[in-house]
Amino acid sequence: MRIIGGSRSGLRLHPPPALPVRPTTDMAKEALFNVLQHRIDFEQIQALDLFCGTGSIAFELASRGAASVLAVDIHFKCIQYVNAAAKKLELTAIKAVKADVLKFISTCKETFDFVFIDPPYDLPQLPQLPERVIARGMLKPGATMVLEHSSTRSIGSHPNLGETRKYGYSSFSFYEV
């Protein structure tokens, strides 16, 4: 796992092998950020990384200048790793918190410029996650949200869904507010 762009570009991260995660591949992450760099000015944005796992997306956002990146995951070992690595890399914009993402969404009072959602591909509520975030008012006007999901899984239509891009087994669906 590596950071692709920004102040920590090229840096390799080494999360513990026992974490219960399916990290976004470097190839898929690079393709994602190639798309996003034409849509988002990362400098000083408030970002949210749901189901953060190893924090790969959170580290990428902080490296590219995000003012704050809130990373949420239910697994304590993931949160422990993200916070320790952020401290070691002096990426003070990152704050990782342990929470059930579904409960977090229903109680969150903050708004964000960018939201990335990377749930387990077999999560039954996966297709409803973008609507839950939008209905909760978590996106600022002009915000972008990305849902990562299996390329074989249908997520249905939504008025804010702009496009879906496939990268092998993974797909990214882009939502605009």
Side-chain angles (χ1 to χ4, degrees):
M1 183 172 88
R2 67 184 171 92
I3 297 175
I4 294 161
S7 65
R8 306 299 191 282
S9 179
L11 204 106
R12 292 213 171 269
L13 301 168
H14 304 283
L19 293 181
V21 297
R22 173 208 30 80
T24 302
T25 66
D26 283 352
M27 183 211 63
K29 183 171 65 170
E30 187 166 6
L32 170 67
F33 277 88
N34 283 340
V35 172
L36 291 175
Q37 74 183 358
H38 299 291
R39 299 180 184 198
I40 300 172
D41 179 5
F42 293 105
E43 290 289 320
Q44 299 303 308
I45 65 167
Q46 275 77 43
L48 175 63
D49 183 1
L50 296 173
F51 302 95
C52 71
T54 61
S56 175
I57 300 298
F59 290 117
E60 193 69 40
L61 291 164
S63 176
R64 292 172 185 249
S68 68
V69 183
L70 182 58
V72 181
D73 202 284
I74 196 166
H75 299 287
F76 175 73
K77 294 276 186 196
C78 292
I79 297 307
Q80 191 176 36
Y81 169 73
V82 171
N83 280 327
K87 183 175 181 180
K88 180 180 177 183
L89 298 173
E90 298 177 353
L91 291 172
T92 57
I94 297 174
K95 177 184 176 191
V97 296
K98 182 184 179 300
D100 177 309
V101 170
L102 300 175
K103 291 178 183 171
F104 175 85
I105 291 171
S106 67
T107 60
C108 183
K109 292 177 175 54
E110 296 178 64
T111 58
F112 302 92
D113 301 294
F114 177 72
V115 174
F116 184 78
I117 309 171
D118 183 11
Y121 284 179
D122 61 352
L123 183 75
Q125 301 91 336
L126 185 147
Q128 292 83 37
L129 290 172
E131 177 54 35
R132 288 181 181 194
V133 170
I134 292 168
R136 185 72 189 151
M138 295 169 63
L139 299 173
K140 294 179 181 179
T144 298
M145 175 172 52
V146 175
L147 174 67
E148 182 175 344
H149 55 91
S150 165
S151 294
T152 60
R153 184 148 187 200
S154 172
I155 57 161
S157 63
H158 188 278
N160 297 91
L161 176 60
E163 67 175 313
T164 297
R165 294 195 180 202
K166 294 180 182 183
Y167 301 97
Y169 185 65
S170 298
S171 287
F172 297 111
S173 290
F174 295 82
Y175 296 78
E176 305 289 334
V177 176

